Amino acid sequence: MCRGDIREQTLAALMNVERLVKEAGGDRTNIVRTTAYIDTMDNWEPVNEVYADFFGERKPARTILCVKEIHFGLKIEIDAIAEVGR
C-alpha cells in the first residue's frame, strides 16, 4: 500500500494492476477496463492525469466513482479487467 498523495497512490495502484497482469503473461496493453474508487471529487483531475500518463495513447475503458470511505484510509482503489492469453 502507498500512503502518499493521490498521484502517488494512483500510480502505485496502476503499477500493482500491471504487475498482476504481467504475472498472467500480459502487459498494460491487455488491460481493457478499470474501475477507480476515489475518496473525493477533488481527486478526479489528478487521477485523470496519472491515468493518461500511465496508459499513453491506448487507454482502457474506465469508470471513476467517488465513495465515502476506502479501506485502510487510502485515497484510491482500482480494479481492472485484462484479456490475456487469447
Side-chain angles (χ1 to χ4, degrees), residues 13-79:
L14 289 168
M15 291 175 68
N16 283 338
V17 167
E18 181 180 40
R19 179 182 51 80
L20 293 170
V21 171
K22 283 183 177 180
E23 288 176 9
D27 60 36
R28 70 177 65 171
T29 65
N30 295 103
I31 300 168
V32 296
R33 179 167 180 71
T34 65
T35 303
Y37 305 88
I38 57 176
D39 65 341
T40 174
M41 290 304 290
D42 292 340
N43 286 331
W44 182 284
E45 191 57 40
V47 168
N48 256 349
E49 291 170 7
V50 173
Y51 188 89
D53 289 343
F54 184 83
F55 285 108
E57 292 297 315
R58 195 208 152 281
K59 295 171 194 63
R62 175 188 66 180
T63 300
I64 297 180
L65 302 166
C66 186
V67 296
K68 182 179 177 184
E69 190 173 17
I70 299 174
H71 287 89
F72 311 112
L74 295 172
K75 299 176 183 304
I76 187 166
E77 183 173 324
I78 297 176
D79 68 42

